[in-house]
Amino acid sequence: MANQTTLRHVVLFSFRDDAPADAVDKIVTDFGKLKDAIPGVVAYEWGTNVSPENLNDGFTHCFTLTFASAPDRDTYLNHPVHQAFVHTLGACLAKAVVVDYWAQ
């Protein structure tokens, strides 16, 4: 690969119709706290779908984390704080998609 210095970790969430708004807000807040709790996160951003194309297949929330290396990403994925966060999603999450890529 030409440039292996910027690894993006993109997470899309679709929440259950019966998920309380305050529970979804807590998930968003807690996701944002991961960047400060786990070393190796270079950048973090999130937002909700605003596309007029109606191609989001129910996914409403997008989170993007940037890492400088695959080992940094792997540390994040296996970190106990991340694992604890993942275990809090079950009651609200309908589905998730995760895509990692090297920025070109």
Side-chain angles (χ1 to χ4, degrees):
M1 288 179 204
N3 175 11
Q4 290 191 327
T5 59
T6 305
L7 179 60
R8 303 270 194 247
H9 177 72
V10 180
V11 179
L12 302 174
F13 283 166
S14 172
F15 292 99
R16 294 171 36 142
D17 291 339
D18 62 349
D22 61 334
V24 172
D25 290 346
K26 182 171 178 12
I27 287 171
V28 170
T29 299
D30 289 350
F31 203 141
K33 292 177 181 177
L34 296 178
K35 70 183 181 309
D36 297 323
I38 303 172
V41 179
V42 174
Y44 166 83
E45 64 185 35
W46 78 277
T48 56
N49 179 50
V50 295
S51 174
E53 295 177 291
N54 197 30
L55 297 173
N56 59 303
D57 194 27
F59 291 95
T60 57
H61 290 66
C62 180
F63 305 86
T64 303
L65 295 97
T66 302
F67 300 93
S69 70
D72 286 346
R73 186 259 335 260
D74 296 346
T75 295
Y76 167 84
L77 292 176
N78 295 304
H79 196 282
V81 173
H82 177 258
Q83 292 297 314
F85 169 73
V86 169
H87 289 297
T88 68
L89 302 174
C92 293
L93 198 62
K95 55 187 173 175
V97 171
V98 178
V99 175
D100 292 357
Y101 67 91
W102 290 102
Q104 301 296 310

